[in-house]
């Protein structure tokens, strides 16, 4: 059953309902769930956790995978990446977020939007917002831990913004090599070219990835594209 709004918006509706009606939050949550066609909030949350795109992607990921998530701005690619991080402990992995686009407060706020509180996780989530983020930096950080990692890099096109960093293709190859050797899963968020907005395609494809510098996109085992609430997952041949 598809929700009328993302779960974080439904939680916000419940909070407003509790405040305006003077009822307990759990009662407001149950009312919202009933409107969505569920018997109570726990029933909704249980079904939601089984049906989200992140859960679907998670079931298809394997050790050593490189995964690409592509979308235009505002279509949920960062939230999808963070939901994968929030679910990492379900597959006995530690989540790592390396972002050149957001500060640490932004990341924690987005976890809250999704309805997750990383403080409640059994495994800590590591958020790195260093200006030094590149493949070498990521590999160096991950080499210091013995736990299996699920890594989200935000985002692909920023990795070689510094002239001192290696070419983007070389960095992607280094991350793929590390993932293969260590059994890590590396998810890279990517921009989609603006020209896609002028196309008649319903969803972006691998041909719409914005590449200011060449990258061998066949290095990605799985590719996920988002647009207007739709999600498409491709598995490389």
């Amino acid at each position: 059953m598809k929700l009328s709004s993302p779960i974080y918006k439904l939680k916000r509706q419940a909070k407003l309902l509790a405040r305006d009606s003077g009822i307990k939050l759990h009662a407001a949550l149950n009312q919202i769930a009933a409107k969505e066609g569920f018997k109570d909030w726990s029933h909704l949350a249980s079904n939601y956790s089984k049906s989200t795109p992140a859960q679907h992607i998670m079931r298809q990921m394997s050790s050593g995978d490189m995964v690409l998530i592509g979308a235009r701005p505002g279509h949920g690619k960062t939230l999808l990446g963070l939901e994968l991080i929030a679910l990492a402990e379900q597959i006995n992995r530690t989540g790592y977020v390396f972002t050149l686009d957001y500060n640490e407060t932004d990341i924690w706020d987005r976890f809250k939007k999704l309805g997750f509180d990383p403080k409640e996780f059994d495994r800590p989530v590591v958020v790195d917002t260093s200006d030094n983020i590149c493949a070498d930096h990521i590999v160096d950080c991950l080499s210091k831990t013995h736990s299996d990692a699920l890594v989200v890099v935000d985002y692909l096109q920023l990795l070689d913004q510094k002239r001192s960093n290696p070419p983007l293709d070389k960095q992607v190859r280094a991350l793929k090599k590390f993932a293969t050797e260590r059994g890590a899963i590396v998810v890279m968020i990517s921009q989609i070219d603006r020209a896609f907005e002028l196309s008649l395609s319903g969803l972006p494809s691998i041909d719409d990835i914005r590449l200011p510098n060449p990258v061998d996109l066949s290095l990605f085992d799985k590719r996920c594209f988002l647009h207007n609430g739709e999600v498409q997952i491709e598995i490389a041949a």
Side-chain angles (χ1 to χ4, degrees):
M1 187 181 298
K2 187 175 181 180
L3 300 179
S4 64
S5 299
I7 198 165
Y8 71 87
K9 287 188 177 180
L10 295 178
K11 283 188 173 181
R12 190 179 302 157
Q13 291 174 23
K15 288 180 180 178
L16 291 173
L17 176 61
R19 185 190 67 188
D20 295 341
S21 304
I23 61 176
K24 297 290 186 181
L25 178 58
H26 70 85
L29 287 167
N30 288 339
Q31 284 190 31
I32 295 295
K35 288 182 180 179
E36 296 292 320
F38 296 91
K39 61 182 181 181
D40 55 29
W41 184 261
S42 62
H43 183 212
L44 181 152
S46 174
N47 280 269
Y48 172 83
S49 67
K50 295 174 183 175
S51 61
T52 65
Q55 286 281 3
H56 184 52
I57 295 168
M58 187 74 77
R59 288 192 288 270
Q60 298 191 53
M61 292 194 303
S62 304
S63 294
D65 272 355
M66 286 273 286
V67 182
L68 184 74
I69 297 178
R72 291 290 295 151
H75 287 269
K77 58 185 182 292
T78 299
L79 286 176
L80 177 57
L82 293 181
E83 188 170 354
L84 289 173
I85 290 293
L87 298 173
E89 66 178 10
Q90 293 185 9
I91 55 172
N92 298 315
R93 290 181 177 272
T94 300
Y96 292 82
V97 181
F98 293 91
T99 177
L100 286 158
D101 200 33
Y102 295 102
N103 62 46
E104 195 166 341
T105 299
D106 290 334
I107 296 299
W108 298 128
D109 284 346
R110 279 164 174 76
F111 275 122
K112 290 179 182 177
K113 260 190 174 183
L114 288 165
F116 295 106
D117 183 358
K119 294 177 182 178
E120 296 178 355
F121 295 170
D122 292 333
R123 292 170 178 252
V125 171
V126 179
V127 176
D128 189 330
T129 60
S130 165
D131 290 336
N132 298 321
I133 291 173
C134 64
D136 288 344
H137 176 86
I138 293 169
V139 169
D140 182 58
C141 290
L142 296 177
S143 296
K144 296 173 182 176
T145 177
H146 297 291
S147 62
D148 292 332
L150 193 159
V151 182
V152 168
V153 182
D154 186 25
Y155 53 87
L156 173 68
Q157 288 81 5
L158 289 180
L159 285 180
D160 66 349
Q161 64 178 348
K162 284 187 176 181
R163 292 185 179 180
S164 57
N165 288 344
L168 189 55
D169 186 73
K170 186 174 181 180
Q171 292 193 61
V172 174
R173 290 181 185 278
L175 289 171
K176 175 61 178 173
K177 181 174 183 288
F178 177 83
T180 301
E181 292 176 350
R182 290 286 299 269
I185 297 173
V186 178
V187 179
M188 302 195 77
I189 293 171
S190 174
Q191 292 181 338
I192 294 295
D193 197 279
R194 286 181 297 174
F196 169 75
E197 301 287 359
L198 302 177
S199 74
L200 299 176
S201 302
L203 282 160
S205 71
I206 199 73
D207 296 328
D208 297 306
I209 299 296
R210 189 176 76 80
L211 289 178
N213 295 304
V215 176
D216 181 1
L217 296 176
S218 69
L219 293 166
F220 292 95
D221 306 280
K222 275 96 179 181
R223 305 149 187 170
C224 178
F225 298 102
L226 297 82
H227 193 71
N228 287 337
E230 293 187 55
V231 180
Q232 178 174 294
I233 302 169
E234 301 174 355
I235 298 176

